[in-house]
Amino acid sequence: MHQSTLANDVKVDSLLSSFEQANKEQKIQISNHLFKIYQEITDTLYTFSNKDSETYIDYMVYYWTSENAYAHGVFIESRDYSLKAIDACLKVGNKDDLSQCYNIAAISNFRLGDFAQALSFAEESLKLDRESGNQENISSSLNTLAYRANPSSPT
């Protein structure tokens, strides 16, 4: 049985606060706890170990925290964590992952009414998708751009 959303929100906030100050070993433990909570939105239980770089762990935590915040309608937090995810993902160097970070930044900014910033992120996401040739991501980025034309539609 899952904890209530409010209990999960408090636990996530506490874990994220600890994560920001943690060393790599602590980040591994904290991220593994976070992803037990995030499994509802990830559909996969991600686990981390010493084999994973600290930058990769940062990227995953920030990206999925952004997705989690978006799913709960907390768009400012979603935007803020998407920016952290972009910074970490730039260091990781995976264009598909970076595209996803730009996409969540775009949709968060759309929801916040910052259409110029949202468009910039959406265009960057599409550019990366086209470079990689990932058709599923191209479709997602085009949908994000179409959302700009009708921001009252669901995403």
Side-chain angles (χ1 to χ4, degrees), residues 100-117:
Q100 294 300 320
C101 292
Y102 280 118
N103 197 53
I104 189 68
I107 63 175
S108 296
N109 277 285
F110 279 137
R111 290 292 189 170
L112 292 169
D114 189 346
F115 299 115
Q117 187 65 60

Side-chain angles (χ1 to χ4, degrees), residues 58-150:
D58 289 348
Y59 147 67
M60 289 291 287
V61 165
Y62 295 144
Y63 173 77
W64 284 107
T65 298
S66 178
E67 287 280 358
N68 183 62
Y70 187 87
H72 289 94
V74 187
F75 304 122
I76 291 172
E77 186 174 313
S78 178
R79 180 206 53 212
D80 293 348
Y81 278 102
S82 71
L83 297 177
K84 289 181 178 192
I86 288 168
D87 287 342
C89 201
L90 283 166
K91 296 172 188 167
V92 171
N94 182 307
K95 286 185 180 184
D96 285 340
D97 291 342
L98 184 57
S99 169
Q100 294 300 320
C101 292
Y102 280 118
N103 197 53
I104 189 68
I107 63 175
S108 296
N109 277 285
F110 279 137
R111 290 292 189 170
L112 292 169
D114 189 346
F115 299 115
Q117 187 65 60
L119 180 59
S120 175
F121 286 131
E123 288 172 340
E124 187 63 29
S125 179
L126 180 59
K127 176 184 163 212
L128 290 167
D129 294 337
R130 286 183 169 153
E131 287 174 7
S132 72
N134 184 318
Q135 295 300 312
E136 185 176 330
N137 285 356
I138 291 170
S139 175
S140 177
S141 291
L142 288 170
N143 282 335
T144 299
L145 285 166
Y147 175 76
R148 179 182 181 271
N150 185 12

Side-chain angles (χ1 to χ4, degrees), residues 12-35:
V12 165
D13 288 345
S14 175
L15 289 169
L16 288 169
S17 178
S18 297
F19 184 85
E20 298 279 331
Q21 306 302 318
N23 63 35
K24 182 179 178 184
E25 289 296 320
Q26 294 165 329
K27 283 183 176 186
I28 291 168
Q29 292 177 350
I30 294 166
S31 61
N32 287 335
H33 286 298
L34 277 169
F35 278 89

